[in-house]
Amino acid sequence: MTTYTLRNASPAKTKADVVIVGVTKGDKGPSVAAGGEDVGAAYARKFRPLLAIIGFTGKAGETAKVPTSGTINAPLMVLVGLGDAKQLTPAVVRRAAGSAARSVSNAASVALALPADSAELVRAVTEGFLLGGYTFTDFKRDTKPQSEKSSEVVVLSPVARQGEASAAFDRAQLVVEAATATRDWVNLPANALNPVTFADQVVAQHKELTKGKGAPEIGIQVWDEDDLAKDGCGGILAVGGGSATPPRMVKLTWSPEGATQHVALVGKGITYDSGGYTIKPPASMVSMKEDMAGAASVIQALFLIARLNLPVKVTAWAPMAENMISGAAMRPGDVLTMRGGTTVEMTNADAEGRLILADALVMATEEKPDAIVDIATLTGAMVVALGEKVAGLMGTDDVVADLRVAADVAGEAVWPMPLPDEMHERVRSSKVADLAQSDWVRWGGGLFAGAFLREFTDGLPWGHLDIAGPGYNTGGAHGYMAPGGTGFGVATLVEYVAGLADLT
Ligand code: BES
Ligand code: MN
Ligand code: ZN
């Protein structure tokens, strides 16, 4: 068990194993950042020479461990660079707190003395530190799960006693729990998480969350392969047809009394993407357990929205399938009939995400929500366009604008991409079916996918997040990111719904 407290106290006098202090880079060299002033004062004129002797510059992400030898109460100080003193944004502080977390992994008690003089910064420090401490050790024989370690985290803040700051602190911990649960699901390899066990785990978590007095009421419905057939979900069935494990769809409903708005969230849940008969090259296949990150994020976002008791009706739709090869797998050239009757000429078995999303989007639109947001590790083309850390955002102007604001508050990078008329024509270019699933033109592949999804939104306000890049960290740890699942999108979706709640 880890305990978390927000406190207004002097970092020099705080009793903890470690105190974390920020260092910024300025015109006159590095200096102690806001929040760590008392520590700087305890060192007095020895602080700068200390930085100089260990070669600490204050560059963002830089860390150093310094034994304090009685200068302050904590025996160890961890310095973390915050970069340019004039650009101290919440995003910078969030990343630095994450870097610091990774260098104190053994400490039982930690006090954070980073810039935290606003609710926004309290949130950034807390989220960054807690996410930065994440590790995935389910399959490491000799590593204890983190939940069994006991520790204490104290976030020091001059505004600790203000309601807004303590609310931000509590909220940050819940956001981290949701993002962590998302990371855990994404990190489970495909032999440990298939469509059936994924759906089972959602059912189990739902049961846990809704049990007992005062627990939120959340509806749940699971479609098995027969239900999907009865409901005409030809996309999900075709994609899941090649797997030894049948597909599923999970719907969660949060419907608080008095809600005047309804948002539908739809997430891609491919537990493994081999590419099917349009098989992927070997190296591209290795990380494809990540292909259910969208589904994981909409489920965890809905759970969190319910825990926060946000006054907006939210439904989460998670189509789940494994894209494999067998005698029952879909063949390029097949014509599929989607939920609602639209036919699609399937020409690329590796463009499977849009097929399962189409059925789920149609189901979502049938309830006439006020807005739909889908999130999916959808296209490599979006990674080529925006890199691995920025999500592509498409959709109708209103939802796109709201999602940009939400992502900004949440500290997640998204960038708007267009849906040009040309794509509309390409999506309608099939000679045998209503729509073409793909046309084998590489250019603008992320936009083609967006335009394809739009066909299934019934003209409703809609946003589409392509998280093929930021949903999964293929590199090493950096900032508050661990290797593997990132939990990207959860915070943005929750912030988006919270933003709508503010308007009611
Ligand atoms: N799951 C992939 C997209 C992806 C790529 C996610 C890299 C994460 C990292 C998706 O199903 C896919 O294979 N997309 C194809 C689309 C193409 C066939 C039109 C792609 O990007 O190559
Ligand atoms: Mn694919
Ligand atoms: Zn995929």
Side-chain angles (χ1 to χ4, degrees):
M1 259 291 283
T2 306
T3 59
Y4 305 102
T5 14
L6 180 67
R7 194 181 299 154
N8 182 4
S10 153
K13 295 196 188 104
T14 296
K15 286 202 177 69
D17 294 337
V18 187
V19 169
I20 293 168
V21 176
V23 175
T24 54
K25 256 175 117 141
D27 298 336
K28 291 183 219 125
S31 56
V32 66
E37 293 95 342
D38 281 5
V39 174
Y43 275 85
R45 264 178 289 163
K46 291 189 182 141
F47 195 69
R48 281 187 178 223
L50 171 75
L51 296 179
I53 201 88
I54 60 172
F56 202 88
T57 64
K59 190 178 78 182
E62 188 180 13
T63 57
K65 291 183 183 172
V66 182
T68 61
S69 317
T71 310
I72 61 172
N73 259 334
L76 185 69
M77 164 166 80
V78 166
L79 300 173
V80 60
L82 287 162
D84 189 341
K86 292 186 215 88
Q87 317 226 333
L88 218 55
T89 62
V92 167
V93 172
R94 186 184 273 109
R95 277 198 294 272
S99 299
R102 288 185 291 106
S103 63
V104 297
S105 47
N106 286 325
S109 62
V110 180
L112 288 116
L114 292 170
D117 59 4
S118 66
E120 229 185 347
L121 286 172
V122 165
R123 175 176 178 178
V125 168
T126 310
E127 284 182 5
F129 186 79
L130 300 186
L131 286 171
Y134 175 87
T135 54
F136 180 71
T137 55
D138 285 19
F139 298 92
K140 293 276 195 191
R141 189 167 54 178
D142 299 328
T143 313
K144 254 206 237 171
Q146 257 170 330
S147 53
E148 284 176 23
K149 296 180 189 159
S150 79
S151 56
E152 197 190 348
V153 177
V154 180
V155 174
L156 299 171
S157 162
V159 294
R161 282 193 208 91
Q162 291 178 11
E164 232 180 285
S166 67
F169 183 63
D170 295 343
R171 172 106 157 236
Q173 291 168 57
L174 292 174
V175 170
V176 169
E177 266 182 50
T180 297
T182 305
R183 287 180 176 190
D184 280 342
W185 265 341
V186 172
N187 287 333
L188 281 178
N191 62 340
L193 194 78
N194 61 46
V196 172
T197 55
F198 190 11
D200 287 347
Q201 289 198 24
V202 180
V203 171
Q205 288 192 18
H206 167 269
K207 196 171 167 197
E208 190 61 32
L209 179 58
T210 54
K211 79 167 185 227
K213 244 184 102 193
E217 266 177 58
I218 302 169
I220 185 164
Q221 192 178 347
V222 180
W223 281 252
D224 66 15
E225 61 275 34
D226 296 332
D227 303 325
L228 289 167
K230 244 181 262 138
D231 282 345
C233 293
I236 302 173
L237 287 169
V239 172
S243 170
T245 314
R248 292 286 181 265
M249 181 156 70
V250 178
K251 176 195 180 190
L252 296 170
T253 306
W254 164 245
S255 190
E257 234 172 90
T260 55
Q261 300 175 82
H262 174 192
V263 174
L265 307 175
V266 180
K268 173 177 173 181
I270 296 291
T271 57
Y272 193 70
D273 182 10
S274 71
Y277 274 106
T278 314
I279 194 163
K280 287 184 181 293
S284 309
M285 231 184 271
V286 182
S287 68
M288 280 303 139
K289 65 174 185 182
E290 71 170 279
D291 219 12
M292 33 57 70
S297 70
V298 298
I299 292 161
Q300 294 300 337
L302 187 136
F303 283 160
L304 178 51
I305 287 161
R307 290 177 81 182
L308 293 171
N309 201 16
L310 297 182
V312 175
K313 177 176 176 182
V314 182
T315 44
W317 303 81
M320 299 165 176
E322 189 183 41
N323 190 23
M324 299 292 278
I325 292 174
S326 82
M330 59 182 182
R331 295 142 292 234
D334 283 1
V335 174
L336 314 177
T337 303
M338 319 303 270
R339 168 89 183 173
T342 302
T343 58
V344 172
E345 183 187 8
M346 192 282 286
T347 49
N348 188 325
D350 198 12
E352 82 297 339
R354 62 197 72 178
L355 300 176
I356 68 166
L357 288 169
D359 286 333
L361 283 168
V362 171
M363 286 235 171
T365 61
E366 287 166 2
E367 296 187 342
K368 303 266 174 254
D370 299 296
I372 306 179
V373 178
D374 77 74
I375 176 163
T377 46
L378 202 61
T379 68
M382 199 55 66
V383 191
V384 173
L386 296 174
E388 285 190 300
K389 297 198 176 98
V390 181
L393 170 59
M394 285 148 270
T396 55
D397 293 345
D398 43 357
V399 181
V400 165
D402 289 348
L403 282 170
R404 285 191 78 179
V405 172
D408 203 43
V409 175
E412 295 183 316
V414 307
W415 196 252
M417 300 293 278
L419 291 170
D421 292 344
E422 169 211 352
M423 293 298 163
H424 180 75
E425 285 156 30
R426 279 168 60 181
V427 164
R428 284 166 181 269
S429 66
S430 170
K431 295 188 180 66
V432 298
D434 299 332
L435 300 179
Q437 173 227 23
S438 126
D439 63 2
W440 287 95
V441 176
R442 280 176 66 202
W443 320 123
L447 316 185
F448 184 107
F452 181 87
L453 294 180
R454 180 173 59 187
E455 296 289 333
F456 299 91
T457 58
D458 200 23
L460 292 173
W462 158 72
H464 160 55
L465 285 162
D466 189 336
I467 59 163
Y472 194 81
N473 176 16
T474 53
H478 60 86
Y480 53 86
M481 289 301 183
T486 60
F488 189 99
V490 175
T492 295
L493 294 175
V494 173
E495 209 56 60
Y496 168 71
V497 171
L500 296 176
D502 284 344
L503 302 175
T504 55

